[in-house]
Amino acid sequence: MKSSSLRAARFLRTSALGVSIALAAVSAPAFAQDAPADTATDDSDNTPIIVTAQGRAQLLSDVPVAISAVSAETLQNSGANDIRQLNQVAPSLFVSSTGSEANGSARIRGIGTVGDNPGLESSVPVFIDGVYRSRSGIGLNELGEIDRVEVQRGPQGTLGGRNSSAGLISIYSKKPSFEFGGSGEITYGNYDYWRLAGGVTGPIGDTVAFRLDGVWVKRDGFLKDTANNTDVNNRDRYFVRGQLLFEPTDALSIRLIADYTYRDERCCGAIYVDNSVNPYVGGLNTPSPLPLPPGAAIPAGTNNIVTVLRDLGQPIGAFNQGYSRNLSVTPGRSFAGETKDYGFSGQIDYDLGSATLTSITGYREYRSGQAGDLDYGSVDILYRAPSDDAYRQFHTFTQELRLQGEAFDGKLDWLVGGFYSNEKLTVRDNLRFGTQYGQFAACRLVSGSFAFAYGPTSPGCLSPAGRAGLLGANGGAGQFGAATPLLLGAIDRLGTLSDKGSINDRYHQNGTNWALFTHNIFHITDKLDFTFGVRYTHDKKKFSASFTNDNTICTQNQAAIGGLLANAALQPLVAGILGLSCQGNSTAELNGVSINDQRSEDEFTGTAILSYKPVDDLMVYASYSRGYKAGGFNLDRSALKPPVITGATPSSTFAAVGGAQALVGNLQFDPELVNSYEIGAKYATGPFSVGLTLFRSDFENFQLNTFNGTVFLVQNINGCEDSLNGGDRDQSKFTTAPNYSAAAATTGACATDKVGWGVRSEGFELEASLVPAPSFRMTAGLTYAKTKYRSNLVGTKSGAPLDQALRLLPGDNMSNAPELVATGSVAWTPDIGSSGLTGLVYVDGRMTSDYNTGSDLFPQKEQNGYAIFNARIGVRGPDEKWGIEFWGQNIFNKQYAQVAFNSPFQEGATTGAFADPQYPGGRQIYSQFLAEPRTYGVTLRGKF
C-alpha cells in the first residue's frame, strides 16, 4: 500500500493546478440556516458577502467559523443539479452514491456515513430551506432554482436543526419576488440527455408574492445491460416546487413552500474489478483448472470461485473488462427503482422590536424502492425484485423556534431556541437468494474442500465419480466416516436452495429528538469577541421488526447436521454447509417472528470561540466545538448473530441461544461524539480574500458500516491508549500468514478506562478568491486532511475486540478520505462589442490524491489520484435575457470508481496462496460502482 508521503508527492507533481495551489480557495465562503434573500452572492463583482452562520447577519470576514458557499451562478456554470456535483467547487466536501441513489453519502474532511443502512443518521446532514432531510442521499434529487448552497465544516452541535458530527450542507431555493419575471432553459446532450427547467414569480397583490419552479429530466443510462436489452444508471425524473411569500408588515414575513419529486430510474449497476484497474487484484480473476486430482491443491495464482461462476454461466470476459460499461446481469433481473419525495414547510420571521422570533416548521415524506441484481453478475445468486412492498420510507416532522436580540447596549448578542423532530422510518425488504444460489453455494464448497469431486452440472455439484470416491473412501467407511451420507445429503440439499429468502421483512423505527440551545456573542471590545453556545439534546428511538422467510433449506440442514458441530474434526465442513445454507440469518426459523427494542440518550454539546480583529481587514480566531450524532439500530437481521456460533457450545439455530428477541440488543450502536479544535485567519479587502483554517477533530464511537462480502457490519470504532500488541491486526483465517492467531476473535481487548478516540481528522484548509474586474473571477482551494484511525483500535466503548474484517484499519487513513484535494475555477464574462452581448468562458477542476474506497481498506479497493475538469462557453444577450452555452462535464473522460466492494458471496477457497497482507479477503473477488463518464451538450436559456 502506498505511503501517504508518496501519494502526496505524486499528487503535487501531476497536479495541473499546482501553480495555483498557493492561492488555495473556495468560491465565496458562506453559511446560514435561514439567511435573508438579500444575502445571495453575486459572482460577477466583489460585493461583500453577508452570512448568518451564527444566527445573525454578519460579514463573511467577521464570522469565526469554517464555512463555504456556492452561488447560483457558480452552480449554473459548473452544471450542478444536485449536491453530488458540489465536489467540483468545495475541496473539503466529497459526495458519492453506491448501491442506490438513496444511499448517497456526503463527507467533510474525510468524515461521513456510508449510506447503505438507513438506521445510521448522516454525519453530514442536508437542510433545504432550513428543513432537515432525513438522510443526505435525499439531496441527490433535482434542486430546482437555487439561490445558493452552503457548507459548514466541522461539528455542528449548537444552533438549530439536527446535530451533526462532521458538518452540514444547507441549500436555499430562490424566494418569490414582488416583481414579475420568469426564466427557462432547454438542454440537450449525449446519452440522449434532455433537461427542461423553468420558473415564474411575481406579486399577488401588495403583500403576497408567488414562485413556481419545475424541472424534467430524461437520459439514457451510462451502463449497458445486454442480457435484458436495457441501460442502467439512467435519468427519468421531474420536480415541482411552489412558494408563497406573505409580508403584511415590515416586521412580519411568512414563507410557505411545497414541493414534489418523482423518479422512475434504473440504478445502480457494477462491474468486476480486474488487475488492469488495480494491480493488487493479481491472479484473483484467473480461473482454476477443475476438477483436480485427489489431494491436489488449487494452483497458486488461480481462483476456484471464478471457475464456478464461469461454469454456471458467467462470461469469462467480465473478469477482464477494465472500465467497460457492459454489465453482467441475470436475464429477467432488474435495477428498476421508484422514488417519491414531497413535503411542505413554513417559515415565520417576526420582529418584536426588542427581539426577533423565527419559526421553521416542516413535514416530509420520502419513499424509495430499488430492485437489483445484487450479485452484480450473470449467475443468479442474490436479488431484490421490483415491488411496491419493498422500500425505505421516512415520515419526518420538524419544528424549530429561535428568539434573538441584544442586551447591555449591544455588548451581548443573545440567541435561545428549541428544536423538535419526529421521524418514522419504515424499511420493507424482499431480498432473496437467486435461482442458482444453491448450486453456486454447493460448487463453492466442493471446489474448495474436495476439488476432485467437482461437477457443476451434477446434484450438489458432486460429479458421479467424485461422489463415489467420497462414499468409498477409507475402505468403504466414507470420507467422513459414518457422517458421510449425512454430509453429502446436506450438500445435495444446499444445492436445491433456489429462490428462497425474505418474503416481506418489515423494520420500523420511531425516533423522537428534541433540543434546547443558546448561542451568544460577547463583544468584549471593539476588536475582541467571545462566542459561547451550548445545546442539550434528548434522543429516543423505538424499534420493531417482523420477518417472513421461506428458506426451509436452512432449517432442514440445521436439523440434519447441526449436531455434528460438536465434532471438532467435522466442524469446519459442517459450519461451511450451514453458513452457506443460512447466509445473513435468512432462515424459515424467523418466519413469523417479531422483535422490538428501544433506546434513549442525552447529550450536551456546544462551542466556544475567541476572535480578534487587529485591523479591519483581518480576523484571527480559535475555537472548540463538541459534536454528536445519535446512536440507533442496525436495520439488518444479519447482525442478530452469526449463522454458526462456534466455541465451547457450538450452535446454528436461534432457539439454541434464546431466540431472536434475546439477541435484539446486538442491533444497537452507540452515539458518535467528536471534540474539534480550530485556529483560523481571514483576510478580505477589495477584490481579494484569503482564509486559512487549521483543524483537529477526535471522534469517539465512530459509526462504521462495512460490507464484508456476506453481510453489513455496523461497529463503533474507538482507540486504546495502551498498545494491543497487534491484537487488533491479527486473524484466524490464514494459517500461513504472519498475523495468524487461532485466538484472534478474542485478542485485542482494551481496559474500559483506557478507551478513547478512535478516529482523528487533522489538517488545514487554504482558500482564496480574486475578482480583479467585474467580468473576471478566479477561485482556488486546497484541503489537506489526514483522516486516519488510531494505531490501536477496539470495537466498542467497553473495549471489546475489533472485528477481524477490520484488521487493516489501525493506523491507516479512512476510506474515501484523500489527504490532498485541490479545486479551482475561472469565470470570464467579457463584453462583446457595444451591443450588450457578453461571452462566457468557464473552467473548473478538482484534483484528488490517492485513497481507498472500501471501508475495510483492502488494497484491491484503492483508487489512484485523478483530476476532473468541467468547462462551459457561451454567448448571452443584453441583460442576459437569452443565452446559448456549450458545456462539458468530465471533459477528459477520466475513468475511476466511486466505490469498490466485495462481490457478494463470491469468495474462493482459503489457502496460503492468497492471504494477508496483499489478499486480506483471500480469494474474494471485487466489484466497483463506476463514476460518470464524459458528458457534453448545449443549453439554451431565456428570462424575462
Side-chain angles (χ1 to χ4, degrees):
M1 195 173 296
K2 304 177 186 68
S3 70
S4 59
S5 60
L6 288 176
R7 289 196 295 261
R10 190 172 80 179
F11 173 79
L12 291 173
R13 287 198 305 269
T14 60
S15 172
L17 290 186
V19 176
S20 67
I21 282 177
L23 292 177
V26 74
S27 58
F31 166 79
Q33 272 289 80
D34 60 330
D38 59 3
T39 66
T41 304
D42 184 355
D43 278 354
S44 64
D45 56 32
N46 58 358
T47 304
I49 303 164
I50 306 297
V51 299
T52 57
Q54 302 186 105
R56 59 278 283 173
Q58 296 172 284
L59 285 170
L60 170 66
S61 56
D62 292 340
V63 180
V65 292
I67 52 181
S68 304
V70 185
S71 71
E73 184 171 353
T74 298
L75 288 168
Q76 176 177 297
N77 288 341
S78 189
N81 299 318
D82 61 42
I83 64 172
R84 183 168 32 206
Q85 292 156 310
L86 293 174
N87 292 341
Q88 287 298 107
V89 289
S92 292
L93 176 68
F94 181 64
V95 182
S96 62
S97 60
T98 54
S100 90
E101 289 286 283
N103 291 344
S105 176
R107 295 171 174 84
I108 289 178
R109 297 172 175 169
I111 299 293
T113 301
V114 177
D116 297 280
N117 192 317
L120 279 78
E121 298 178 5
S122 301
S123 297
V124 183
V126 172
F127 290 78
I128 299 181
D129 290 318
V131 177
Y132 169 71
R133 299 302 176 93
S134 291
R135 299 295 181 267
S136 58
I138 295 173
L140 298 179
N141 287 335
E142 289 288 325
L143 301 176
E145 285 290 320
I146 296 300
D147 182 66
R148 67 197 180 280
V149 177
E150 301 175 346
V151 179
Q152 187 155 0
R153 308 187 295 274
Q156 308 304 307
T158 306
L159 289 173
R162 289 297 290 264
N163 288 282
S164 70
S165 57
L168 62 84
I169 300 170
S170 203
I171 301 166
Y172 296 94
S173 62
K174 286 187 177 179
K175 285 186 174 182
S177 171
F178 284 91
E179 295 184 6
F180 187 72
S183 62
E185 67 176 63
I186 301 175
T187 296
Y188 182 75
N190 61 333
Y191 293 95
D192 201 23
Y193 172 58
W194 286 96
R195 186 176 191 271
L196 308 179
V200 62
T201 187
I204 307 175
D206 294 334
T207 61
V208 181
F210 78 96
R211 183 174 190 93
L212 182 65
D213 298 300
V215 180
W216 174 82
V217 179
K218 195 160 188 176
R219 191 206 66 212
D220 293 342
F222 295 138
L223 305 171
K224 186 65 177 176
D225 172 8
T226 55
N228 296 288
N229 193 31
T230 188
D231 50 77
V232 180
N233 287 29
N234 68 319
R235 289 285 181 269
D236 189 355
R237 58 179 64 176
Y238 65 86
F239 164 84
V240 291
R241 178 172 57 224
Q243 302 184 59
L244 290 175
L245 178 63
F246 299 87
E247 294 185 344
T249 69
D250 291 341
L252 178 63
S253 174
I254 302 173
R255 184 185 183 191
L256 303 177
I257 306 173
D259 65 90
Y260 182 89
T261 295
Y262 178 79
R263 303 195 317 223
D264 183 6
E265 300 171 349
R266 297 176 297 279
C267 187
C268 300
I271 65 171
Y272 289 109
V273 181
D274 67 24
N275 54 21
S276 71
V277 170
N278 187 320
Y280 288 106
V281 169
L284 281 173
N285 292 1
T286 302
S288 301
L290 295 175
L292 294 170
I298 297 174
T302 69
N303 195 342
N304 61 300
I305 203 68
V306 175
T307 305
V308 170
L309 291 167
R310 181 200 65 192
D311 292 346
L312 295 181
Q314 174 64 53
I316 197 67
F319 297 109
N320 298 282
Q321 67 181 69
Y323 286 108
S324 167
R325 294 178 180 269
N326 292 318
L327 301 179
S328 296
V329 183
T330 301
R333 298 295 178 222
S334 169
F335 288 95
E338 182 180 80
T339 298
K340 297 178 182 179
D341 179 21
Y342 54 92
F344 60 86
S345 65
Q347 178 168 334
I348 301 173
D349 295 290
Y350 190 25
D351 187 348
L352 303 174
S354 59
T356 300
L357 176 68
T358 297
S359 170
I360 303 176
T361 306
Y363 178 76
R364 305 292 312 174
E365 293 196 8
Y366 174 86
R367 175 167 163 161
S368 178
Q370 186 69 64
D373 187 354
L374 300 181
D375 51 70
Y376 303 101
S378 298
V379 182
D380 193 18
I381 301 171
L382 185 69
Y383 76 100
R384 182 176 285 118
S387 172
D388 291 337
D389 293 327
Y391 55 82
R392 61 179 62 182
Q393 177 177 275
F394 292 93
H395 290 181
T396 308
F397 172 80
T398 57
Q399 174 64 57
E400 180 180 345
L401 287 172
R402 296 198 304 271
L403 186 68
Q404 64 190 83
E406 294 185 347
F408 308 116
D409 296 324
K411 290 290 186 180
L412 170 65
D413 289 339
W414 57 267
L415 182 153
V416 295
F419 175 79
Y420 172 83
S421 74
N422 178 250
E423 178 184 275
K424 294 182 173 66
L425 167 60
T426 299
V427 176
R428 296 176 66 175
D429 200 6
N430 60 350
L431 182 67
R432 294 176 70 80
F433 296 122
T435 57
Q436 293 177 277
Y437 172 80
Q439 191 70 356
F440 163 81
C443 287
R444 169 179 161 173
L445 181 79
V446 171
S447 65
S449 299
F450 20 91
F452 71 91
Y454 176 75
T457 61
S458 301
C461 202
L462 295 166
S463 67
R467 185 183 296 269
L470 289 168
L471 289 170
N474 297 319
Q479 183 75 30
F480 313 106
T484 303
L486 282 176
L487 292 172
L488 296 190
I491 294 172
D492 288 341
R493 196 175 295 112
L494 171 62
T496 66
L497 204 170
S498 172
D499 200 16
K500 301 286 187 182
S502 296
I503 301 169
N504 197 331
D505 291 345
R506 303 185 183 205
Y507 300 86
H508 300 280
Q509 180 177 283
N510 190 335
T512 301
N513 179 289
W514 62 267
L516 300 174
F517 55 87
T518 182
H519 188 274
N520 309 283
I521 304 175
F522 300 89
H523 303 292
I524 300 172
T525 70
D526 291 342
K527 296 179 179 293
L528 182 65
D529 286 350
F530 175 68
T531 302
F532 176 76
V534 66
R535 178 187 183 108
Y536 168 77
T537 300
H538 175 79
D539 187 271
K540 184 175 182 178
K541 292 183 172 72
K542 295 181 179 180
F543 163 82
S544 64
S546 59
F547 307 106
T548 53
N549 195 291
D550 61 1
N551 181 13
T552 55
I553 301 300
C554 172
T555 53
Q556 290 170 23
N557 271 349
Q558 287 172 334
I561 64 171
L564 297 177
L565 282 171
N567 185 319
L570 297 179
Q571 188 180 89
L573 178 59
V574 174
I577 296 171
L578 294 177
L580 290 168
S581 300
C582 312
Q583 290 268 30
N585 289 325
S586 178
T587 170
E589 187 183 6
L590 287 180
N591 190 48
V593 172
S594 296
I595 57 176
N596 64 83
D597 200 2
Q598 65 179 17
R599 58 172 290 120
S600 64
E601 55 205 34
D602 302 273
E603 290 291 341
F604 280 96
T605 54
T607 189
I609 308 171
L610 191 65
S611 58
Y612 179 64
K613 296 196 71 172
V615 295
D616 288 343
D617 298 330
L618 175 65
M619 182 190 68
V620 295
Y621 67 92
S623 70
Y624 164 79
S625 296
R626 180 168 175 82
Y628 153 75
K629 184 176 73 162
F633 294 92
N634 181 359
L635 306 185
D636 187 343
R637 64 164 189 258
S638 66
L640 288 168
K641 72 173 187 68
V644 179
I645 298 173
T646 57
T649 309
S651 65
S652 63
T653 66
F654 278 90
V657 288
Q661 180 61 40
L663 302 169
V664 70
N666 293 338
L667 300 183
Q668 290 200 32
F669 53 87
D670 291 322
E672 184 174 292
L673 304 171
V674 55
N675 292 303
S676 184
Y677 310 87
E678 290 187 7
I679 299 175
K682 296 183 179 184
Y683 177 79
T685 177
F688 177 68
S689 66
V690 63
L692 173 66
T693 304
L694 287 78
F695 61 88
R696 170 181 283 184
S697 300
D698 292 335
F699 291 81
E700 303 171 32
N701 291 332
F702 180 79
Q703 297 167 2
L704 183 68
N705 188 25
T706 301
F707 181 64
N708 68 0
T710 302
V711 298
F712 282 96
L713 304 173
V714 176
Q715 190 158 41
N716 288 109
I717 305 298
N718 285 290
C720 185
E721 296 176 7
D722 293 337
S723 173
L724 298 177
N725 298 313
D728 54 347
R729 308 180 191 212
D730 58 7
Q731 49 79 34
S732 58
K733 184 174 183 176
F734 308 115
T735 58
T736 60
N739 60 344
Y740 172 75
S741 170
T746 59
T747 60
C750 180
T752 302
D753 61 349
K754 296 294 184 179
V755 174
W757 62 267
V759 173
R760 170 171 285 175
S761 176
E762 60 183 349
F764 67 86
E765 296 157 327
L766 186 62
E767 52 190 37
S769 63
L770 177 65
V771 189
S775 63
F776 190 82
R777 168 178 286 269
M778 294 179 61
T779 72
L782 176 67
T783 294
Y784 172 78
K786 195 169 186 63
T787 304
K788 63 184 299 182
Y789 294 100
R790 201 167 185 168
S791 295
N792 296 279
L793 294 181
V794 292
T796 66
K797 64 182 179 182
S798 62
L802 189 70
D803 191 286
Q804 290 185 52
L806 306 178
R807 63 187 179 278
L808 295 188
L809 272 56
D812 206 344
N813 287 1
M814 284 190 63
S815 63
N816 291 291
E819 290 187 9
L820 282 168
V821 177
T823 62
S825 69
V826 175
W828 183 38
T829 55
D831 292 333
I832 301 176
S834 57
S835 62
L837 294 178
T838 57
L840 169 66
V841 178
Y842 175 85
V843 178
D844 67 41
R846 177 187 176 100
M847 280 143 294
T848 301
S849 63
D850 300 353
Y851 59 95
N852 195 305
T853 68
S855 298
D856 52 16
L857 301 183
F858 285 9
Q860 289 77 18
K861 302 172 185 180
E862 291 246 1
Q863 171 62 56
N864 289 333
Y866 57 88
I868 301 296
F869 293 93
N870 300 331
R872 189 172 293 257
I873 186 170
V875 177
R876 303 182 291 193
D879 300 320
E880 298 185 24
K881 295 295 184 182
W882 60 267
I884 180 170
E885 300 168 3
F886 297 91
W887 53 267
Q889 304 275 87
N890 188 9
I891 57 177
F892 297 113
N893 200 31
K894 178 61 182 177
Q895 305 284 351
Y896 64 100
Q898 292 193 84
V899 171
F901 58 97
N902 296 15
S903 305
F905 304 155
Q906 295 164 61
E907 179 184 354
T910 300
T911 65
F914 289 92
D916 280 5
Q918 181 175 343
Y919 299 101
R923 281 189 166 91
Q924 171 70 55
I925 60 175
Y926 301 91
S927 301
Q928 59 184 342
F929 296 111
L930 298 180
E932 295 185 355
R934 175 172 51 215
T935 57
Y936 51 86
V938 60
T939 297
L940 302 177
R941 303 186 192 276
K943 67 178 183 179
F944 61 90

